[in-house]
Amino acid sequence: PWCGTAIRDLKKGRLIIGVIPALASGFIQEVITNFQVERPDITVSMHSRSSIKIHEQVAASQFELGITASPIEHSGVETEFLCRVEALCALPPSHRLANRLVIEPQDLEGEPFISLSSLDHSRQRIDHPFEEAGVRRDLRIDTPMAVSACAFVAKGAGVSIVDPSSALEFKNAPIVAKPFRPTVAFDIALRSPLNRRRSRLVRSFAAAIHDRIAAMPDLPLVALGERP
């Protein structure tokens, strides 16, 4: 049975969170693992969902906290901005563009391309610069997760545009990540049920997320901690 002291000291409890796939493969595991070092009896139930689905489940109080990467707003959700990050172009090390400082849409004309699923809200933002420039890529594969796109790039299947967190997961793999222009930016935000006060446990976990983002010097941040 729980005791008052354990609850007060955040030693026991359960968190149910939703995380977008881009942050569900490495980033959030590190946050959860570090969070539980001093809280071994805290249980965290993590669910990887699209931003839209996370909004719906946070609004329905099925998730106590959600991490999303889209500008979607929902009347039943409170938003706490974390940071804005820039997408990167992931290339095999032997690629003809691997030594370029910056990759532009025209550089990828006719290139075998690994896309995110058409159901992913980020896909539209990534496709837009190519459509604006009239650039046609060779769309070979689509996948629901950016980390999967990076894995395909590492195998030499093509190139991709991915979020920086996913690219950092593969920093020791055979891919190179280059800045992409025009900038494709993603707003990373915490979502919680509206008009429901966060518990101390949820507040502590949210603080751990902030700390982890601030401790990632390789993350190409446009802005951190306040909306640009």
Side-chain angles (χ1 to χ4, degrees):
W2 290 9
C3 66
T5 301
I7 297 173
R8 185 169 58 250
D9 294 341
L10 305 180
K11 298 296 184 183
K12 288 184 178 292
R14 178 181 176 85
L15 277 172
I16 305 176
I17 64 173
V19 185
I20 53 171
L23 298 177
S25 61
F27 171 85
I28 200 65
Q29 281 91 345
E30 187 162 352
V31 173
I32 292 171
T33 300
N34 291 340
F35 188 74
Q36 290 182 320
V37 168
E38 296 180 358
R39 307 169 181 87
D41 292 325
I42 295 293
T43 300
V44 181
S45 180
M46 187 203 82
H47 302 268
S48 179
R49 299 284 191 273
S50 68
S51 290
I52 293 174
K53 196 65 179 176
I54 290 172
H55 278 80
E56 293 173 352
Q57 293 189 254
V58 167
S61 295
Q62 295 172 350
F63 293 157
E64 296 169 274
L65 203 63
I67 308 178
T68 66
S70 74
I72 303 166
E73 296 299 334
H74 194 293
S75 59
V77 171
E78 181 178 335
T79 299
E80 178 183 341
F81 179 74
L82 287 172
C83 62
R84 176 171 288 181
V85 297
E86 296 181 359
L88 300 172
C89 181
L91 306 156
S94 60
H95 196 276
R96 62 182 177 85
L97 300 171
N99 293 323
R100 289 281 186 91
L101 294 178
V102 175
I103 306 298
E104 299 178 344
Q106 293 84 350
D107 298 326
L108 302 180
E109 177 77 48
E111 285 287 334
F113 197 86
I114 317 299
S115 295
L116 296 180
S117 167
S118 58
L119 298 177
D120 192 307
H121 190 271
S122 302
R123 167 75 177 264
Q124 300 172 21
R125 308 186 77 176
I126 292 169
D127 286 349
H128 183 70
F130 294 99
E131 294 168 354
E132 286 285 295
V135 171
R136 297 187 65 180
R137 298 155 292 163
D138 181 5
L139 303 179
R140 295 280 184 92
I141 301 169
D142 64 48
T143 173
M145 298 180 66
V147 289
S148 177
C150 289
F152 278 117
V153 172
K155 294 294 185 181
V159 304
S160 190
I161 305 296
V162 299
D163 66 278
S165 179
S166 296
L168 285 174
E169 289 299 308
F170 282 78
K171 63 183 178 181
N172 296 320
I175 72 169
V176 293
K178 298 289 183 176
F180 181 76
R181 296 292 181 271
T183 298
V184 177
F186 302 97
D187 286 350
I188 310 298
L190 285 178
R191 314 286 183 162
S192 55
L194 190 65
N195 299 324
R196 176 179 168 182
R197 185 178 180 182
R198 290 181 181 178
S199 66
R200 287 186 62 197
L201 185 58
V202 171
R203 294 199 304 271
S204 294
F205 191 76
I209 292 171
H210 278 279
D211 291 344
R212 178 59 191 142
I213 289 176
M216 296 176 72
D218 295 331
L219 196 66
L221 297 170
V222 180
L224 177 66
E226 61 181 34
R227 189 176 297 278

